[in-house]
Amino acid sequence: MMRPGFTDPVLDAQSCFRAVLEAMSRPGRVQRLAAPLQPPAPLAPATAAVLLTLVDAETPLWLDAGDEAAEWVRFHCGCPIATTPAEAAFVLATGTPPDIAALPQGTDEAPEAGATLVWQAAALEAGQGWRLSGPGIEHEHRLRVGGAPEGFRAAWAAQRGRYPRGVDIILCAGEAIAALPRTTRIEEG
Amino acid sequence: MSHDPAYNFAYLDENTKRMIRRALLKAVAIPGHQVPFGAREMPLPYGWGTGGIQVTAAVLGPRDVLKVIDQGADDTTNAVSIRRFFNRVAGVGTTTRTAEATVIQTRHRIPEQALTEAQILVYQVPMPEPLFRLEPRLAETRRMHALADYGLMHVKLYEDIARHGHISTAYSYPVMVGGRYLMSPSPIPAFDNPKMHRMPALQLFGAGREKRIYAVPPYTEVRSLDFEDHPFRPHRADAHCALCGSRSSYLDEVVTDDRGGRMFVCSDTDYCETRQASRQEDAA
């Protein structure tokens, strides 16, 4: 049986959006979601809420979460499913995230066409781990992303050379959300 | 308080809100870059803040407290009607106090009181393209932004200095955001430009007719363009407010009769009223 989406699609989407906006504006700060969701495995509540809030018929989605999750997202968001990450506006990674250089980067004239990677991590903890700096950060924020793959920091640093083209990341774990816009610099803690 | 059930919460339909929200997130991720969006017709004409209203509608929640200012004033037609609009279609609380607001929609001013991390400032923008007076072709300005080719604007400022001895731009003074994008701060007075630099609050800009959204994240570098030997100098009338006595706020000149009489008053009404009230308390 199809599991339900938001209880209140209007206000739940609003509060989730504000959490994502806050996360994107202050990279590395972890936001907590209030909306209770029971999405199909392997989707975490935060991941499901972000998809319900931002994805729709205008945004092709690529995901690695399996048929049941894909069916749930298609039913509730009505989005086309992209066959490769390179064709997607939103890329959902519940396992190891794909190489960010393989995702749409946008163009110098339209950098907003760069993809948004929704990355479901094993854990998100503020105050430890990576040292983040850049717009949105007064001095320094710290963020630990559980299960970040080996080459991620190098790939992220390489992306800076392409700015303003690039990929933005929304991180989800359980009911927690954080974000890494393309302007954020990451240094090892 | 509840909203008018004949409308969806905050007026816009959910598809439109999602589209605007996606544009807002990309705008925050690329500070100063103008993101195109599908601006809708709103129940008021272009030029009355349709861009700002759509941004506010996409952001606003039932627990928000909204303040709307027009040239610093809470009690002008535009501010009153937008406040009443959101009170009706979203049922949100409204205020005139800067400190109490969580979302502040503004036309042409930044409040005098410093904003906090808990606030969002939404600007109404008539013309988002800072280069439009120098280069009318949008295809060309897009390319100039792509290449960060802003020499034309420096030439314009230089010609100002050559002709007038100083940069004659008093409002809508162009800024560089994050060292990358030239941005129009909307027609705020140049006096307000320094407040944008590393502001703790999130700043969102909506242009309805021109269908563009852009943003400045908190604590982001915002520099007014200038030259080493002609540094940026915000202009302020050399007077004090006739009502509250402030010597640091931005002043409006008010003509009081037809014999040359005039007075200066704060453009920020909440700031002025707060100061007047505290003066009266001190006197009592």
Side-chain angles (χ1 to χ4, degrees), chain A residues 9-11 13-15 17-18 20-22 24-26 29 52-56 58-59 90 108-112 114-116 134-139 163-164 168 170 181-183, chain B residues 8-9 14-15 17-19 21-22 24-26 28-31 33-36 58-62 64 103 117 120 139 142-143 146 180-181 198 200-202 204 217-220:
Chain A
V10 175
L11 298 185
Q14 189 275 334
S15 64
F17 168 70
R18 279 293 277 276
V20 177
L21 181 67
E22 189 69 10
M24 196 62 90
S25 307
R26 303 175 199 283
R29 288 242 182 112
L52 291 174
T53 301
L54 295 176
V55 175
D56 63 18
E58 294 171 27
T59 53
F90 282 84
D108 283 331
E109 290 193 12
E112 72 275 5
T116 305
I137 301 168
E138 187 175 12
H139 303 294
Y163 186 80
D168 309 300
I170 301 173
R182 61 191 79 176
T183 48
Chain B
N8 187 30
F9 177 82
E14 290 303 299
N15 277 324
K17 284 193 210 165
R18 258 194 306 275
M19 174 269 296
R21 285 167 180 169
R22 287 192 297 258
L24 283 170
L25 291 176
K26 286 300 176 194
V28 170
I30 315 165
H33 170 67
Q34 302 166 45
V35 180
V59 163
L60 210 59
D64 277 312
V103 177
E117 290 197 356
I120 297 177
R142 263 199 294 274
R143 190 202 304 266
R180 174 59 179 81
Y181 277 102
R198 293 187 65 81
L202 172 63
L204 305 174
Y219 306 112
T220 299

Coordinates of all heavy atoms in Angstrom, one line a residue, chain A residues 9-11 13-15 17-18 20-22 24-26 29 52-56 58-59 90 108-112 114-116 134-139 163-164 168 170 181-183, chain B residues 8-9 14-15 17-19 21-22 24-26 28-31 33-36 58-62 64 103 117 120 139 142-143 146 180-181 198 200-202 204 217-220:
Chain A
P9 N -0.1 19.3 3.2 CA 0.9 19.6 2.1 C 1.3 21.0 2.1 O 2.4 21.3 1.7 CB 0.1 19.2 0.9 CG -1.0 18.3 1.3 CD -1.3 18.7 2.7
V10 N 0.4 21.9 2.5 CA 0.8 23.4 2.3 C 1.7 23.8 3.4 O 2.8 24.3 3.2 CB -0.5 24.2 2.3 CG1 -0.1 25.7 2.3 CG2 -1.4 23.9 1.1
L11 N 1.3 23.6 4.7 CA 2.1 24.1 5.8 C 3.3 23.3 6.1 O 4.4 23.8 6.5 CB 1.2 24.3 7.0 CG 0.1 25.3 6.9 CD1 -0.7 25.4 8.2 CD2 0.6 26.6 6.4
A13 N 5.1 21.7 3.8 CA 6.1 22.0 2.8 C 6.7 23.4 3.1 O 7.9 23.6 3.0 CB 5.4 22.1 1.4
Q14 N 5.9 24.3 3.7 CA 6.4 25.6 4.0 C 7.5 25.5 5.1 O 8.6 26.1 5.0 CB 5.3 26.5 4.5 CG 5.7 28.0 4.7 CD 6.3 28.3 6.1 OE1 6.0 27.6 7.0 NE2 7.1 29.3 6.1
S15 N 7.2 24.7 6.2 CA 8.1 24.6 7.3 C 9.4 23.9 6.8 O 10.5 24.2 7.3 CB 7.5 24.0 8.5 OG 7.1 22.7 8.3
F17 N 10.6 23.9 3.8 CA 11.3 24.8 2.9 C 12.1 25.8 3.8 O 13.3 26.1 3.5 CB 10.4 25.6 2.0 CG 11.1 26.8 1.3 CD1 12.1 26.5 0.3 CD2 10.8 28.1 1.6 CE1 12.8 27.6 -0.2 CE2 11.5 29.1 1.0 CZ 12.5 28.9 0.1
R18 N 11.5 26.3 4.8 CA 12.2 27.3 5.7 C 13.5 26.6 6.3 O 14.5 27.3 6.4 CB 11.3 27.9 6.7 CG 10.4 29.0 6.2 CD 11.2 30.2 5.8 NE 11.5 31.0 7.0 CZ 10.7 31.9 7.5 NH1 9.5 32.1 6.9 NH2 11.0 32.6 8.6
V20 N 15.2 24.2 4.9 CA 16.2 24.1 3.8 C 16.8 25.4 3.5 O 18.0 25.6 3.3 CB 15.5 23.5 2.6 CG1 16.6 23.4 1.4 CG2 15.0 22.1 2.9
L21 N 16.0 26.5 3.5 CA 16.5 27.8 3.2 C 17.4 28.3 4.2 O 18.5 28.8 3.9 CB 15.3 28.8 3.1 CG 15.6 30.3 2.8 CD1 16.2 30.4 1.3 CD2 14.4 31.2 2.9
E22 N 17.1 28.0 5.5 CA 18.0 28.3 6.6 C 19.3 27.5 6.5 O 20.4 28.1 6.7 CB 17.3 28.0 7.9 CG 18.0 28.5 9.2 CD 18.0 30.0 9.3 OE1 17.3 30.7 8.6 OE2 18.7 30.5 10.2
M24 N 20.6 26.3 3.7 CA 21.4 26.8 2.6 C 22.0 28.2 2.9 O 23.1 28.5 2.4 CB 20.5 26.9 1.4 CG 21.1 27.0 0.0 SD 22.2 25.6 -0.4 CE 21.0 24.5 -1.2
S25 N 21.3 29.0 3.7 CA 21.8 30.3 4.0 C 23.0 30.3 5.1 O 23.7 31.2 5.1 CB 20.7 31.2 4.6 OG 19.6 31.2 3.7
R26 N 23.0 29.3 5.9 CA 24.0 29.1 6.9 C 24.6 27.7 6.8 O 24.3 26.9 7.7 CB 23.3 29.4 8.3 CG 22.6 30.8 8.3 CD 21.9 31.0 9.6 NE 20.9 32.1 9.5 CZ 21.2 33.4 9.5 NH1 22.4 33.8 9.7 NH2 20.3 34.3 9.3
R29 N 25.1 24.6 9.6 CA 24.1 24.6 10.7 C 23.1 23.5 10.4 O 22.6 23.4 9.3 CB 23.4 25.9 10.8 CG 24.3 27.0 11.4 CD 23.7 27.6 12.7 NE 24.5 28.7 13.1 CZ 24.1 29.9 13.2 NH1 22.9 30.2 12.8 NH2 24.9 30.9 13.6
L52 N 9.4 16.1 -1.2 CA 8.0 16.5 -1.3 C 7.9 18.1 -1.4 O 7.0 18.6 -2.1 CB 7.2 16.1 -0.1 CG 7.0 14.6 0.1 CD1 6.3 14.3 1.4 CD2 6.1 14.1 -1.1
T53 N 8.9 18.8 -0.9 CA 8.9 20.2 -0.8 C 9.4 20.8 -2.1 O 8.9 21.9 -2.6 CB 9.8 20.7 0.3 OG1 9.3 20.2 1.5 CG2 9.8 22.2 0.4
L54 N 10.3 20.2 -2.8 CA 11.0 20.9 -3.9 C 10.8 20.2 -5.3 O 11.0 20.9 -6.3 CB 12.5 21.0 -3.6 CG 12.9 21.8 -2.4 CD1 14.4 21.7 -2.2 CD2 12.5 23.3 -2.6
V55 N 10.5 18.9 -5.3 CA 10.5 18.2 -6.6 C 9.1 18.1 -7.1 O 8.1 17.9 -6.4 CB 11.1 16.8 -6.4 CG1 11.0 16.0 -7.6 CG2 12.5 16.9 -5.9
D56 N 8.9 18.4 -8.4 CA 7.6 18.2 -9.1 C 7.8 17.9 -10.5 O 8.9 17.6 -11.0 CB 6.7 19.4 -8.8 CG 7.2 20.7 -9.4 OD1 8.1 20.7 -10.3 OD2 6.8 21.8 -9.0
E58 N 8.3 19.6 -13.0 CA 9.2 20.4 -13.8 C 10.7 19.9 -13.6 O 11.6 20.5 -14.2 CB 9.1 21.9 -13.4 CG 7.8 22.5 -13.9 CD 7.6 23.9 -13.3 OE1 8.6 24.5 -13.0 OE2 6.4 24.2 -13.1
T59 N 10.9 19.0 -12.6 CA 12.3 18.7 -12.2 C 12.5 17.2 -12.3 O 12.1 16.5 -11.4 CB 12.5 19.1 -10.7 OG1 11.5 18.6 -9.9 CG2 12.5 20.6 -10.6
F90 N 17.4 17.2 -9.9 CA 17.6 16.8 -8.5 C 18.2 15.3 -8.5 O 17.7 14.5 -9.3 CB 16.3 16.8 -7.7 CG 15.9 18.2 -7.2 CD1 15.2 19.0 -8.1 CD2 16.3 18.6 -6.0 CE1 14.9 20.3 -7.7 CE2 15.9 19.9 -5.6 CZ 15.2 20.7 -6.4
D108 N 28.0 29.3 -17.5 CA 28.4 30.5 -16.9 C 27.3 31.6 -16.9 O 27.2 32.4 -16.1 CB 29.7 31.1 -17.6 CG 30.9 30.3 -17.2 OD1 31.0 29.8 -16.1 OD2 31.8 30.2 -18.0
E109 N 26.5 31.5 -18.0 CA 25.4 32.5 -18.1 C 24.2 32.0 -17.2 O 23.4 32.9 -16.8 CB 24.9 32.6 -19.5 CG 26.0 33.4 -20.4 CD 25.4 33.8 -21.7 OE1 24.2 33.8 -21.9 OE2 26.2 34.2 -22.5
A110 N 24.0 30.7 -17.0 CA 22.9 30.2 -16.2 C 23.3 29.2 -15.2 O 23.0 28.0 -15.3 CB 21.8 29.6 -17.2
P111 N 24.1 29.6 -14.3 CA 24.7 28.7 -13.3 C 23.6 28.0 -12.4 O 23.8 27.0 -11.8 CB 25.7 29.5 -12.5 CG 25.2 30.9 -12.6 CD 24.6 31.0 -14.0
E112 N 22.4 28.6 -12.4 CA 21.3 28.1 -11.6 C 20.8 26.7 -12.1 O 20.1 26.0 -11.5 CB 20.1 29.1 -11.5 CG 19.3 29.3 -12.7 CD 19.9 30.3 -13.7 OE1 21.0 30.8 -13.4 OE2 19.3 30.6 -14.7
G114 N 22.7 24.2 -12.5 CA 23.4 23.2 -11.9 C 22.5 22.4 -11.0 O 21.6 22.9 -10.4
A115 N 22.8 21.1 -10.9 CA 21.9 20.2 -10.2 C 22.0 20.4 -8.7 O 22.9 21.0 -8.1 CB 22.3 18.7 -10.4
T116 N 20.9 19.9 -8.0 CA 20.9 19.9 -6.5 C 21.0 18.4 -6.1 O 20.2 17.6 -6.5 CB 19.6 20.5 -6.0 OG1 19.4 21.8 -6.5 CG2 19.6 20.5 -4.4
G134 N 32.9 30.7 4.2 CA 32.3 31.2 2.9 C 31.0 32.0 3.3 O 30.7 32.2 4.4
P135 N 30.2 32.4 2.2 CA 29.0 33.2 2.5 C 28.1 32.4 3.4 O 27.9 31.2 3.3 CB 28.4 33.3 1.1 CG 29.6 33.2 0.1 CD 30.5 32.3 0.8
G136 N 27.4 33.1 4.3 CA 26.5 32.5 5.2 C 27.1 32.1 6.5 O 26.4 31.8 7.5
I137 N 28.5 32.2 6.6 CA 29.2 31.8 7.8 C 29.9 32.9 8.4 O 30.8 33.5 7.7 CB 30.1 30.6 7.4 CG1 29.3 29.4 6.8 CG2 30.9 30.2 8.7 CD1 30.2 28.4 6.2
E138 N 29.7 33.3 9.6 CA 30.3 34.5 10.2 C 31.8 34.2 10.4 O 32.6 35.0 9.9 CB 29.7 34.8 11.6 CG 30.2 36.1 12.1 CD 29.5 36.6 13.4 OE1 28.7 35.7 14.0 OE2 29.6 37.7 13.7
H139 N 32.2 33.2 11.1 CA 33.6 32.9 11.2 C 33.9 31.5 10.7 O 34.6 31.4 9.7 CB 34.0 33.0 12.7 CG 33.7 34.3 13.3 ND1 34.3 35.4 12.9 CD2 32.8 34.6 14.3 CE1 33.8 36.5 13.7 NE2 32.9 36.0 14.5
Y163 N 33.4 27.7 -10.5 CA 32.4 28.7 -10.0 C 32.2 29.8 -11.0 O 33.2 30.3 -11.6 CB 32.8 29.3 -8.7 CG 31.8 30.2 -8.1 CD1 30.7 29.6 -7.4 CD2 31.8 31.6 -8.2 CE1 29.7 30.5 -6.9 CE2 30.9 32.4 -7.6 CZ 29.8 31.9 -7.0 OH 28.8 32.7 -6.5
P164 N 31.0 30.3 -11.3 CA 29.7 30.1 -10.6 C 29.0 28.8 -11.0 O 28.0 28.5 -10.5 CB 28.9 31.3 -11.0 CG 29.4 31.7 -12.4 CD 30.9 31.4 -12.3
D168 N 24.9 22.1 -5.9 CA 24.6 22.4 -4.5 C 24.1 21.2 -3.8 O 23.4 20.3 -4.4 CB 23.6 23.5 -4.4 CG 24.0 24.7 -5.2 OD1 25.1 25.3 -5.0 OD2 23.2 25.1 -6.1
I170 N 22.1 19.3 -0.6 CA 21.2 19.3 0.6 C 21.5 18.0 1.3 O 21.3 16.9 0.7 CB 19.7 19.4 0.3 CG1 19.5 20.7 -0.5 CG2 18.9 19.4 1.6 CD1 18.1 20.9 -1.0
P181 N 26.1 24.9 -0.1 CA 26.0 25.5 -1.4 C 27.4 25.6 -2.0 O 28.4 25.4 -1.3 CB 25.5 26.9 -1.0 CG 25.9 27.1 0.4 CD 25.9 25.8 1.0
R182 N 27.4 25.8 -3.4 CA 28.7 25.7 -4.1 C 29.7 26.7 -3.6 O 30.9 26.5 -3.9 CB 28.4 25.8 -5.6 CG 27.8 27.2 -6.0 CD 27.3 27.2 -7.4 NE 26.0 26.5 -7.5 CZ 25.3 26.4 -8.7 NH1 25.8 26.9 -9.8 NH2 24.2 25.8 -8.7
T183 N 29.3 27.7 -2.9 CA 30.3 28.7 -2.4 C 31.1 28.3 -1.1 O 32.0 29.0 -0.8 CB 29.5 30.0 -2.0 OG1 28.4 29.7 -1.2 CG2 29.1 30.8 -3.3
Chain B
N8 N -5.7 29.8 -1.3 CA -4.6 28.9 -0.7 C -3.8 29.8 0.2 O -3.7 31.0 0.1 CB -3.7 28.4 -1.8 CG -2.7 27.3 -1.3 OD1 -3.0 26.7 -0.3 ND2 -1.6 27.3 -1.9
F9 N -3.2 29.1 1.2 CA -2.4 29.8 2.2 C -1.4 30.7 1.5 O -0.6 30.2 0.6 CB -1.7 28.9 3.2 CG -0.8 29.5 4.1 CD1 -1.3 30.1 5.3 CD2 0.6 29.6 3.9 CE1 -0.4 30.7 6.2 CE2 1.4 30.2 4.8 CZ 0.9 30.8 5.9
E14 N 0.5 25.9 -4.9 CA 1.7 25.2 -4.4 C 2.7 25.0 -5.5 O 3.9 25.0 -5.2 CB 1.3 23.9 -3.8 CG 0.5 24.1 -2.5 CD 1.3 24.8 -1.4 OE1 2.4 24.4 -1.1 OE2 0.9 25.9 -1.0
N15 N 2.3 24.8 -6.8 CA 3.3 24.7 -7.9 C 4.1 25.9 -8.0 O 5.3 25.9 -8.2 CB 2.6 24.4 -9.2 CG 2.2 22.9 -9.3 OD1 3.0 22.1 -8.9 ND2 1.1 22.7 -9.9
K17 N 4.7 28.2 -5.7 CA 5.6 28.3 -4.5 C 6.8 27.5 -4.7 O 7.9 27.9 -4.4 CB 4.8 28.0 -3.3 CG 3.9 29.0 -2.8 CD 3.5 28.6 -1.3 CE 2.1 29.1 -1.0 NZ 1.6 28.5 0.2
R18 N 6.6 26.2 -5.2 CA 7.8 25.3 -5.3 C 8.7 25.9 -6.3 O 10.0 25.9 -6.1 CB 7.3 23.9 -5.8 CG 7.2 22.9 -4.7 CD 7.1 21.5 -5.3 NE 6.0 21.4 -6.1 CZ 4.7 21.1 -5.7 NH1 4.5 20.9 -4.5 NH2 3.8 21.0 -6.6
M19 N 8.2 26.4 -7.4 CA 9.1 27.0 -8.5 C 9.9 28.2 -7.9 O 11.1 28.3 -8.1 CB 8.2 27.4 -9.6 CG 8.9 28.2 -10.8 SD 8.8 30.0 -10.5 CE 7.1 30.3 -10.6
R21 N 10.5 28.7 -4.7 CA 11.4 28.2 -3.6 C 12.7 27.6 -4.3 O 13.8 27.8 -3.7 CB 10.7 27.1 -2.8 CG 9.7 27.8 -1.9 CD 8.7 26.8 -1.2 NE 7.8 27.5 -0.3 CZ 6.7 26.9 0.2 NH1 6.4 25.7 -0.1 NH2 6.0 27.6 1.0
R22 N 12.5 26.9 -5.4 CA 13.8 26.4 -6.0 C 14.6 27.5 -6.5 O 15.9 27.5 -6.4 CB 13.4 25.5 -7.2 CG 12.8 24.1 -6.8 CD 12.7 23.2 -8.0 NE 11.8 23.7 -9.0 CZ 10.6 23.2 -9.2 NH1 10.1 22.3 -8.4 NH2 9.8 23.7 -10.2
L24 N 14.8 30.5 -5.2 CA 15.4 31.1 -4.0 C 16.6 30.4 -3.5 O 17.6 31.0 -3.2 CB 14.4 31.2 -2.9 CG 13.3 32.3 -3.0 CD1 12.2 32.1 -2.0 CD2 13.9 33.7 -2.9
L25 N 16.5 29.0 -3.5 CA 17.7 28.2 -3.0 C 18.9 28.4 -4.0 O 20.0 28.5 -3.5 CB 17.3 26.8 -2.9 CG 16.3 26.4 -1.8 CD1 15.9 25.0 -1.9 CD2 16.8 26.8 -0.4
K26 N 18.6 28.4 -5.3 CA 19.7 28.7 -6.2 C 20.3 30.1 -6.0 O 21.5 30.3 -6.1 CB 19.3 28.4 -7.6 CG 19.1 26.9 -8.0 CD 20.4 26.1 -7.8 CE 20.2 24.6 -8.0 NZ 21.3 23.8 -7.6
V28 N 20.4 31.8 -3.3 CA 21.2 31.9 -2.1 C 22.6 31.2 -2.4 O 23.6 31.6 -1.9 CB 20.5 31.2 -0.9 CG1 21.4 31.0 0.3 CG2 19.3 32.0 -0.5
A29 N 22.5 30.1 -3.2 CA 23.8 29.4 -3.4 C 24.7 30.1 -4.3 O 25.9 29.9 -4.3 CB 23.4 28.0 -4.1
I30 N 24.2 31.1 -5.1 CA 25.0 31.9 -6.1 C 24.8 33.3 -5.7 O 24.0 34.0 -6.4 CB 24.7 31.6 -7.5 CG1 24.6 30.1 -7.8 CG2 25.8 32.1 -8.5 CD1 23.9 29.7 -9.1
P31 N 25.4 33.9 -4.7 CA 25.1 35.2 -4.2 C 25.3 36.3 -5.2 O 26.3 36.4 -5.9 CB 26.1 35.4 -3.0 CG 26.5 34.1 -2.6 CD 26.5 33.2 -3.9
H33 N 23.7 36.5 -8.1 CA 23.3 36.1 -9.5 C 21.8 36.2 -9.6 O 21.1 35.7 -8.8 CB 23.8 34.7 -9.8 CG 23.2 34.1 -11.0 ND1 23.5 34.6 -12.3 CD2 22.4 33.1 -11.2 CE1 22.9 33.9 -13.2 NE2 22.2 33.0 -12.6
Q34 N 21.3 36.8 -10.7 CA 19.9 36.9 -11.0 C 19.4 35.6 -11.6 O 19.7 35.2 -12.7 CB 19.6 38.0 -11.9 CG 20.1 39.4 -11.5 CD 20.1 40.4 -12.6 OE1 19.1 40.4 -13.4 NE2 21.2 41.1 -12.8
V35 N 18.4 34.9 -10.8 CA 17.8 33.7 -11.2 C 16.5 34.0 -11.9 O 15.6 34.6 -11.2 CB 17.7 32.7 -10.1 CG1 17.0 31.4 -10.5 CG2 19.0 32.4 -9.4
P36 N 16.3 33.6 -13.1 CA 14.9 33.8 -13.7 C 13.9 33.0 -13.1 O 14.1 31.9 -12.6 CB 15.1 33.4 -15.2 CG 16.5 32.9 -15.4 CD 17.1 32.8 -14.0
A58 N 6.2 32.9 -0.8 CA 6.9 31.6 -0.9 C 7.6 31.2 0.4 O 7.8 30.1 0.7 CB 7.8 31.5 -2.1
V59 N 7.9 32.3 1.2 CA 8.7 32.1 2.4 C 7.8 32.0 3.7 O 8.1 31.3 4.6 CB 9.7 33.3 2.5 CG1 10.3 33.4 3.9 CG2 10.8 33.1 1.5
L60 N 6.7 32.7 3.6 CA 6.0 33.0 4.8 C 5.3 31.8 5.4 O 4.7 30.9 4.7 CB 4.9 34.0 4.5 CG 4.4 35.0 5.5 CD1 5.5 35.8 6.1 CD2 3.3 35.9 4.9
G61 N 5.3 31.7 6.8 CA 4.5 30.6 7.4 C 3.6 31.2 8.5 O 3.7 32.4 8.8
P62 N 2.7 30.4 9.0 CA 1.7 31.0 9.9 C 2.3 31.6 11.2 O 1.6 32.4 11.8 CB 0.8 29.8 10.3 CG 1.5 28.6 9.8 CD 2.5 29.0 8.8
D64 N 5.1 33.4 11.3 CA 5.9 34.6 11.0 C 5.1 35.8 11.4 O 3.9 35.9 11.5 CB 6.2 34.6 9.5 CG 7.4 33.8 9.2 OD1 8.4 33.9 9.9 OD2 7.3 33.0 8.2
V103 N 9.9 38.5 9.2 CA 10.0 38.7 7.7 C 9.7 40.2 7.5 O 8.7 40.7 8.0 CB 9.1 37.9 6.9 CG1 9.2 38.2 5.4 CG2 9.4 36.4 7.1
E117 N 19.9 37.4 13.0 CA 19.9 36.2 12.3 C 18.5 35.6 12.2 O 18.3 34.7 11.3 CB 20.8 35.1 13.0 CG 22.3 35.5 12.9 CD 23.2 34.3 13.2 OE1 22.6 33.2 13.6 OE2 24.4 34.4 13.1
I120 N 14.4 37.8 8.0 CA 14.6 37.8 6.6 C 14.2 39.1 6.0 O 13.1 39.6 6.3 CB 13.8 36.6 5.9 CG1 14.3 35.2 6.4 CG2 14.0 36.7 4.4 CD1 13.5 34.1 5.9
A139 N 20.7 39.9 -23.4 CA 21.6 38.8 -23.8 C 23.0 39.2 -23.6 O 23.9 38.4 -23.2 CB 21.4 38.4 -25.3
R142 N 23.8 39.4 -19.7 CA 24.0 38.1 -19.2 C 25.4 37.6 -19.5 O 26.1 37.0 -18.6 CB 23.0 37.1 -19.8 CG 21.8 36.9 -19.0 CD 21.0 35.6 -19.3 NE 20.5 35.7 -20.7 CZ 19.3 36.2 -20.9 NH1 18.5 36.6 -20.0 NH2 18.8 36.2 -22.2
R143 N 25.9 37.9 -20.7 CA 27.3 37.5 -21.0 C 28.3 38.2 -20.1 O 29.3 37.7 -19.7 CB 27.5 37.7 -22.5 CG 28.9 37.1 -22.9 CD 29.4 37.7 -24.2 NE 28.4 37.7 -25.3 CZ 28.4 36.8 -26.2 NH1 29.2 35.8 -26.2 NH2 27.5 36.8 -27.2
A146 N 28.4 36.6 -16.9 CA 29.1 35.3 -17.0 C 30.6 35.5 -17.0 O 31.3 34.7 -16.4 CB 28.6 34.6 -18.3
R180 N 32.2 38.6 -6.8 CA 32.0 38.0 -8.1 C 30.9 38.7 -8.9 O 31.2 39.0 -10.1 CB 31.6 36.5 -7.9 CG 31.2 35.8 -9.2 CD 32.3 35.8 -10.2 NE 32.0 35.1 -11.4 CZ 31.2 35.6 -12.4 NH1 30.7 36.8 -12.3 NH2 31.0 34.9 -13.5
Y181 N 29.8 39.0 -8.3 CA 28.7 39.5 -9.1 C 28.4 40.9 -8.8 O 28.3 41.3 -7.7 CB 27.4 38.6 -8.9 CG 27.3 37.4 -9.7 CD1 27.6 36.1 -9.1 CD2 27.0 37.4 -11.0 CE1 27.6 35.0 -9.8 CE2 27.0 36.2 -11.8 CZ 27.2 35.0 -11.2 OH 27.2 33.9 -11.9
R198 N 28.0 42.0 5.2 CA 28.0 41.0 6.3 C 26.8 41.2 7.2 O 27.0 41.1 8.5 CB 29.3 41.1 7.0 CG 30.5 40.7 6.2 CD 31.8 40.6 7.0 NE 31.8 39.6 8.0 CZ 32.0 38.3 7.9 NH1 32.3 37.9 6.7 NH2 32.0 37.5 8.9
P200 N 23.7 40.0 9.3 CA 23.4 38.7 9.9 C 22.1 38.1 9.3 O 21.9 36.9 9.3 CB 23.2 39.0 11.4 CG 23.9 40.3 11.6 CD 23.8 41.1 10.4
A201 N 21.2 39.0 8.8 CA 19.9 38.5 8.2 C 20.1 38.1 6.8 O 21.0 38.6 6.1 CB 18.9 39.6 8.3
L202 N 19.2 37.2 6.3 CA 19.2 36.8 4.9 C 18.5 37.8 4.1 O 17.4 38.3 4.5 CB 18.5 35.4 4.8 CG 18.1 34.9 3.4 CD1 19.4 34.6 2.6 CD2 17.3 33.7 3.5
L204 N 16.7 38.7 0.5 CA 16.1 38.2 -0.7 C 15.6 39.3 -1.6 O 15.0 40.3 -1.0 CB 15.0 37.2 -0.4 CG 15.4 36.0 0.5 CD1 14.1 35.2 0.9 CD2 16.4 35.1 -0.1
P217 N 23.3 35.9 1.0 CA 23.3 35.2 2.2 C 23.8 36.0 3.4 O 24.5 37.0 3.1 CB 24.2 34.0 1.9 CG 24.4 34.0 0.5 CD 24.2 35.4 0.0
P218 N 23.6 35.6 4.6 CA 24.1 36.3 5.8 C 25.7 36.3 5.7 O 26.3 35.5 5.1 CB 23.7 35.4 6.9 CG 22.6 34.6 6.4 CD 22.8 34.4 5.0
Y219 N 26.2 37.3 6.3 CA 27.7 37.4 6.5 C 28.4 37.4 5.1 O 29.5 36.7 5.0 CB 28.2 36.4 7.4 CG 27.5 36.4 8.8 CD1 26.7 35.3 9.2 CD2 27.7 37.5 9.6 CE1 26.1 35.4 10.4 CE2 27.0 37.5 10.8 CZ 26.2 36.5 11.2 OH 25.6 36.5 12.4
T220 N 27.8 37.9 4.1 CA 28.4 37.9 2.8 C 29.0 39.3 2.5 O 28.4 40.3 2.8 CB 27.4 37.5 1.7 OG1 26.9 36.2 2.1 CG2 28.0 37.5 0.3

